[in-house]
């Protein structure tokens, strides 16, 4: 079966118009082959399965309805071509009803057209997939085994976010769907897609492993006075061995955020504009939970117009009511962050280049000093970090704030060379740091 499929595969290649790039179907449109994108240059600890072959005769083209709901057609095609085939989405589709795609197995999806979502906000309120973690919800959920989704640099997933930004400005209790959720996706890739106008986080990668995400182009901005808030690029959760690379992200909020139980994650070659940085956390938010983030390598990312570029945010050790209406409540969780490296980060017009905040959400310093975080930070390294701050906190270029002597260990900085617009040497606000391990440039640590 495997041999027959691969012979078929090579025959398919002989028929292609442009052999390297497309698969031809006699009498049917050709479609681009899955691109050969590899993790580069940092390699994951465990190889991501990227070589699986597909049967070139098992191809399902999805014909869109006339502006109706295409969810059923897409689901049917994926059922039919699951287990060895390719589904081609090369036209314009609209999804108006929930789409559960967690059954995928050994399948490719060539999304070279456009998928957008109906803006029936009232309908979606009652029909989103809902998850317990941070009220995450979405109109579709992806998952399975050995699944490759590729857009060949033309595919678009469009969230029609403007309707949601405007509606949310008028009603803050509205649930806003995440543009894309992977829930239990083991092995495969997501590449070459444009993600546009997400109502909420762009990507939530949960319960997943062994994935390569590459060549994604994200752009979401509000054109009205309503703020497009909480538009994280990627959030990882309960996931292992994920590579996110070579992408451009234009939005607000975290560019990438590592939520609880994110392990062995590489983030490289991103260009993030206008974000809150590449962030660990927040962790320790809930008293009954144990949060783990470990073995991250964050390499060669350019951060422009951000509040903070490299960030770790951890709640204090006791649950407390914060400001706000409804009040913001958090803290008291346990866990650890271990072996996190930020290597080569270019700063362009950011408030802070580095921020460790182990007092995240604390109302005042004494709340955090009285209840130091129980999420312990160890083996965190910042190296080869350079560029220019925007002057917002001039001459302060960063903060390294731990909750106590015991809640942080082996926090190091090497070859950090920030410059301030004022020309003043950078200052770093530190609390409970071992200053001998911190080569931060400028005047180094000052008390926070
Ligand atoms: C806000 O949206 C929620 C969810 O749809 C709804 O239950 C509530 O009635 C809305 N509130 C107002 C004032 O419209
Ligand atoms: C992940 O797995 C857990 C445990 O099975 C489940 O409760 C949760 O709904 C799953 N998905 C997300 C997005 O958390
Ligand atoms: C994270 O992993 C720890 C240790 O296995 C476990 O106790 C905790 O429940 C996990 N958290 C989540 C959100 O799955
Ligand atoms: C760093 O990332 C940029 C894209 O932002 C890429 O062009 C460059 O080749 C990368 N450099 C290395 C050494 O990986
Ligand atoms: C970066 O974001 C700013 C807004 O913060 C925007 O004005 C600018 O056009 C963006 N840059 C690019 C290259 O899109
Ligand atoms: C730290 O994490 C990196 C990146 O995942 C990994 O290559 C390295 O082996 C880890 N180091 C230790 C001591 O576990
Ligand atoms: C940063 O934002 C300014 C405008 O606010 C914009 O001109 C510039 O292009 C942005 N930088 C990048 C790298 O996008
Ligand atoms: C810190 O905030 C807590 C809670 O509002 C308050 O009880 C305490 O007096 C504050 N401490 C200082 C030093 O302001
Ligand atoms: C310091 O960082 C800069 C910028 O990332 C890099 O070009 C340089 O090689 C680094 N120096 C050392 C000694 O590693």
């Amino acid at each position: 079966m495997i041999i027959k499929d691969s012979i078929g595969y090579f025959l398919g290649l002989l028929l292609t118009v442009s052999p390297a790039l497309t698969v031809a179907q006699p009498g049917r449109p050709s479609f681009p082959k899955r691109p050969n994108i590899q993790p580069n240059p940092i390699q994951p600890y465990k190889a991501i399965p990227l070589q699986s072959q597909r049967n070139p005769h098992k191809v399902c083209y999805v014909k869109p309805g006339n502006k109706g709901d295409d969810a059923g057609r897409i689901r049917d095609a994926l059922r039919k071509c699951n287990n060895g085939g390719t589904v081609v989405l090369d036209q314009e589709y609209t999804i108006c009803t929930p789409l559960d795609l967690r059954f995928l197995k050994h399948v490719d999806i060539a999304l070279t057209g456009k998928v957008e979502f109906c803006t029936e906000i009232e309908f979606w309120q009652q029909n989103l997939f809902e998850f317990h973690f941070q009220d995450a919800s979405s109109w579709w959920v992806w998952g399975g085994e050995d699944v490759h989704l590729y857009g060949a640099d033309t595919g678009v997933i469009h969230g029609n976010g403007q309707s949601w930004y405007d509606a949310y400005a008028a009603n803050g209790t509205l649930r806003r769907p995440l543009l894309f959720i992977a829930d239990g996706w083991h092995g495969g890739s997501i590449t070459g897609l444009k993600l546009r106008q997400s109502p909420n986080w762009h990507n939530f990668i949960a319960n997943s492993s062994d994935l390569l995400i590459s060549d994604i182009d994200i752009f979401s901005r509000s054109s009205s006075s309503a703020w497009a808030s909480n538009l994280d690029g990627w959030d990882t959760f309960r996931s292992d061995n994920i590579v996110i690379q070579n992408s451009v992200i234009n939005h607000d909020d975290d560019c990438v955020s590592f939520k609880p139980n994110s392990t062995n994650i590489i983030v490289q070659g991103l260009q993030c504009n206008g974000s809150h940085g590449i962030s660990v956390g927040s962790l320790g938010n809930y008293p009954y939970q144990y949060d783990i983030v470990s073995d991250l390598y964050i390499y060669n990312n350019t951060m422009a117009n951000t509040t903070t570029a490299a960030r770790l945010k951890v709640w204090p050790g006791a649950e407390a009511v914060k400001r706000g209406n409804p009040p913001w409540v958090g803290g008291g969780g346990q866990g650890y962050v271990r072996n996190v490296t930020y290597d080569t980060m270019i700063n362009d017009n950011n408030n802070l280049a580095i921020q460790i905040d182990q007092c995240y959400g604390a109302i005042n310093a004494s709340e955090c000093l009285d209840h130091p975080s129980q999420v312990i930070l160890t083996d965190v390294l910042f190296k080869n970090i350079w560029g220019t701050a925007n002057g917002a906190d001039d001459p302060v270029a960063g903060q390294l704030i731990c909750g106590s002597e015991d809640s942080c260990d082996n926090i190091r900085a090497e070859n950090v060379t920030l410059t301030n617009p004022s020309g003043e040497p950078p200052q770093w606000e530190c609390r409970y740091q071992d200053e001998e391990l911190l080569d931060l440039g400028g005047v180094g640590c000052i008390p926070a």
Side-chain angles (χ1 to χ4, degrees):
M1 183 61 187
I2 290 167
I3 293 168
K4 183 168 163 268
D5 277 3
S6 39
I7 290 170
Y9 178 73
F10 288 114
L11 285 176
L13 283 188
L14 291 175
L15 296 172
T16 58
V17 184
S18 159
L21 297 172
T22 59
V23 179
Q25 293 285 303
R28 307 175 81 184
S30 63
F31 61 90
K33 243 179 87 177
R34 183 202 310 157
N36 178 23
I37 298 175
Q38 301 291 326
N40 185 48
I42 308 289
Q43 295 301 310
Y45 82 108
K46 185 163 58 147
I48 293 173
L50 295 168
Q51 304 306 329
S52 48
Q53 305 273 313
R54 299 290 177 250
N55 178 350
H57 304 295
K58 190 168 178 177
V59 178
C60 296
Y61 294 85
V62 183
K63 190 171 174 291
N66 186 20
K67 283 282 163 197
D69 175 23
D70 296 314
R73 292 162 185 255
I74 293 173
R75 186 190 304 109
D76 290 349
L78 281 160
R79 288 227 174 93
K80 193 165 167 213
C81 273
N82 210 17
N83 293 301
T86 299
V87 170
V88 181
L89 296 169
D90 57 357
Q91 302 187 44
E92 297 200 359
Y93 309 89
T94 313
I95 293 179
C96 304
T97 51
L99 188 50
D100 190 340
L101 302 177
R102 283 174 285 195
F103 60 85
L104 304 177
K105 207 166 189 182
H106 310 304
V107 65
D108 279 17
I109 301 98
L111 196 178
T112 54
K114 179 179 178 188
V115 171
E116 65 175 316
F117 294 87
C118 280
T119 54
E120 307 300 326
I121 290 177
E122 282 307 315
F123 171 82
W124 286 120
Q125 291 311 294
Q126 311 301 323
N127 292 284
L128 294 169
F129 296 98
E130 298 187 1
F131 298 94
H132 289 301
F133 185 71
Q134 294 197 355
D135 291 331
S137 64
S138 192
W139 29 43
W140 61 359
V141 192
W142 290 67
E145 207 182 299
D146 178 27
V147 181
H148 297 275
L149 167 63
Y150 59 94
D153 298 332
T154 63
V156 179
I157 298 177
H158 200 297
N160 283 317
Q162 191 64 49
S163 306
W164 294 90
Y165 312 147
D166 293 338
Y168 186 67
N171 181 353
T173 61
L174 214 62
R175 274 180 109 82
R176 288 172 300 150
L178 277 54
L179 187 61
F180 191 93
I181 294 190
D183 179 24
W185 181 333
H186 302 285
S189 60
I190 304 172
T191 61
L193 285 167
K194 298 182 207 292
L195 308 185
R196 295 288 180 265
Q197 300 301 101
S198 174
N200 200 328
W201 295 354
H202 289 82
N203 297 281
F204 185 34
I205 309 297
N207 298 327
S208 296
S209 64
D210 309 320
L211 284 181
L212 171 65
I213 299 170
S214 191
D215 300 83
I216 306 292
D217 170 340
I218 290 179
F219 189 97
S220 296
R221 297 236 183 256
S222 175
S223 57
S224 74
S225 61
W227 187 33
S229 65
N230 214 25
L231 262 59
D232 294 10
W234 287 269
D235 284 76
T236 59
F237 176 62
R238 297 170 58 110
S239 291
D240 181 66
N241 199 32
I242 312 287
V243 178
I244 301 172
Q245 67 177 21
N246 301 342
S247 295
V248 178
I249 302 97
N250 258 285
H251 67 132
D252 193 57
D253 221 316
D254 293 325
C255 190
V256 183
S257 178
F258 310 97
K259 301 297 190 205
N261 297 16
S262 295
T263 54
N264 295 295
I265 304 200
I266 295 166
V267 173
Q268 55 190 343
L270 301 193
Q271 297 176 39
C272 305
N273 176 37
S275 75
H276 296 177
I278 298 184
S279 307
V280 173
S282 66
L283 303 177
N285 199 341
Y286 307 106
Y288 46 90
Q289 280 187 11
Y290 196 90
D291 297 342
I292 295 171
V293 169
S294 74
D295 306 299
L296 310 182
Y297 209 93
I298 299 152
Y299 175 68
N300 181 35
N301 299 289
T302 302
M303 311 299 294
N305 299 314
T306 70
T307 52
T308 306
R311 187 178 190 200
L312 292 89
K313 40 183 176 171
V314 175
W315 291 79
E319 188 174 42
V321 178
K322 321 294 177 194
R323 316 164 203 88
N325 182 26
W328 201 33
V329 183
Q334 296 181 308
Y336 64 83
V337 174
R338 185 188 298 153
N339 186 24
V340 171
T341 301
Y342 287 87
D343 175 0
T344 310
M345 193 168 253
I346 300 121
N347 281 266
D348 174 7
N349 198 42
N350 305 326
N351 297 14
L352 299 175
I354 297 173
Q355 184 180 43
I356 292 180
D357 184 4
Q358 216 182 19
C359 298
Y360 183 70
I363 291 189
N364 54 35
S366 57
E367 182 202 326
C368 189
L369 292 170
D370 293 346
H371 306 281
S373 184
Q374 299 171 64
V375 178
I376 310 301
L377 310 184
T378 57
D379 308 329
V380 177
L381 171 61
F382 303 95
K383 70 175 187 182
N384 309 327
I385 296 194
W386 56 285
T388 310
N390 62 14
D393 300 294
D394 206 323
V396 173
Q399 286 178 329
L400 294 93
I401 309 245
C402 286
S404 71
E405 286 290 353
D406 300 328
S407 56
C408 286
D409 186 39
N410 195 27
I411 311 284
R412 286 143 45 98
E414 294 168 9
N415 191 25
V416 174
T417 55
L418 264 290
T419 48
N420 275 318
S422 66
E424 291 282 315
Q427 298 180 358
W428 300 82
E429 291 180 347
C430 301
R431 196 185 296 159
Y432 294 119
Q433 298 298 320
D434 182 347
E435 291 182 35
E436 286 185 0
L437 302 180
L438 295 174
D439 175 13
L440 289 162
V443 303
C445 281
I446 58 167

